[in-house]
Amino acid sequence: MTNLPYILVLYYSRHGATKALAEQIALGIESAGNIEARLRTVPSVSPSTEQTENSVPDSGDLYVDKDDLRHCSGLALGSPTRFGNMAAPMKYFLDTTAEIWFSAELSGKPACVFSSTSSMHGGQESTLLTMMLPLLHHGMLIMGLPFSEEALHTTMSGGTPYGPTHVTFGNNESELSDAEQQLAKAMGKRLAHAALKLA
């Protein structure tokens, strides 16, 4: 374990597309140097009150712990689109962070959001905007992608000034386009530089 600061890349992914974006953002973060990316996910939720998830996932990234959030130098928050909003598992986790909000432990730290959707008009931008709201309540500094990123001008799939996105075009395809990869890495690097400057 190193003593480097880290950015928490926290996501929920059902079919792998949001996870693929998270991994590209993590690469961008670590390309900045002197900072790490910590990939974490949240457990699924179920309408059945008897069903529970194991405390450790069967595969993939670990479930987030509140201390992962408390001690991060920045946050990249990702979720697939569900009717123009974040998925319930991510919202459920955020709803449990009142004590972190009360102690203002995230205040002044940089954050970004990212999402995936099945169609170009599937609500990706409204999902990004609504994901920003709890982060603003936490006092975080929201970052987007500037149009100086050339891929924003040419992308025929995902990518917005509000944050990186991926479009599956209805087939649950998790492979990112070149533009989506470029924009996710650029967002990660931008977030890392901000976190290092603010620290």
Side-chain angles (χ1 to χ4, degrees):
M1 190 69 115
T2 68
N3 290 324
L4 286 176
Y6 67 88
I7 290 178
L8 178 60
V9 183
L10 178 59
Y11 69 92
Y12 173 72
S13 191
R14 182 82 185 268
H15 299 289
T18 309
K19 177 180 172 136
L21 278 173
E23 291 168 342
Q24 293 299 311
I25 289 169
L27 288 174
I29 290 165
E30 296 198 339
S31 75
N34 298 316
I35 194 162
E36 293 179 349
R38 183 175 293 182
L39 284 157
R40 293 290 185 267
T41 188
V42 294
S44 295
V45 294
S46 169
S48 169
T49 57
E50 292 83 28
Q51 183 176 346
T52 59
E53 293 279 355
N54 294 327
S55 59
V56 177
D58 295 332
S59 63
D61 295 309
L62 296 175
Y63 292 136
V64 68
D65 182 276
K66 299 268 179 58
D67 283 341
D68 291 323
L69 191 58
R70 277 189 179 93
H71 303 302
C72 71
S73 295
L75 173 66
L77 188 70
S79 171
T81 294
R82 296 291 185 266
F83 301 104
N85 209 325
M86 74 182 91
M90 185 59 71
K91 178 68 165 60
Y92 181 84
F93 173 75
L94 290 173
D95 284 350
T96 69
T97 62
E99 74 276 7
I100 297 174
W101 165 78
F102 189 72
S103 59
E105 291 171 276
L106 296 177
S107 185
K109 295 179 181 181
C112 72
V113 291
F114 59 100
S115 184
S116 60
T117 186
S118 63
S119 69
M120 288 298 284
H121 307 291
Q124 59 180 318
E125 291 184 342
S126 63
T127 297
L128 295 175
L129 291 169
T130 55
M131 286 174 68
M132 292 176 188
L133 297 179
L135 305 184
L136 289 167
H137 278 263
H138 274 287
M140 300 195 85
L141 308 174
I142 308 297
M143 300 185 68
L145 281 165
F147 274 93
S148 56
E149 292 297 334
E150 189 59 36
L152 271 183
H153 295 276
T154 59
T155 182
M156 299 297 286
S157 53
T160 78
Y162 311 113
T165 58
H166 168 66
V167 181
T168 68
F169 296 102
N171 60 11
N172 290 328
E173 176 59 55
S174 62
E175 187 174 340
L176 306 181
S177 71
D178 289 344
E180 290 169 344
Q181 288 183 46
Q182 288 171 30
L183 292 169
K185 285 179 188 169
M187 186 76 257
K189 190 171 187 177
R190 184 172 165 78
L191 184 62
H193 284 309
L196 288 167
K197 285 179 183 175
L198 288 166

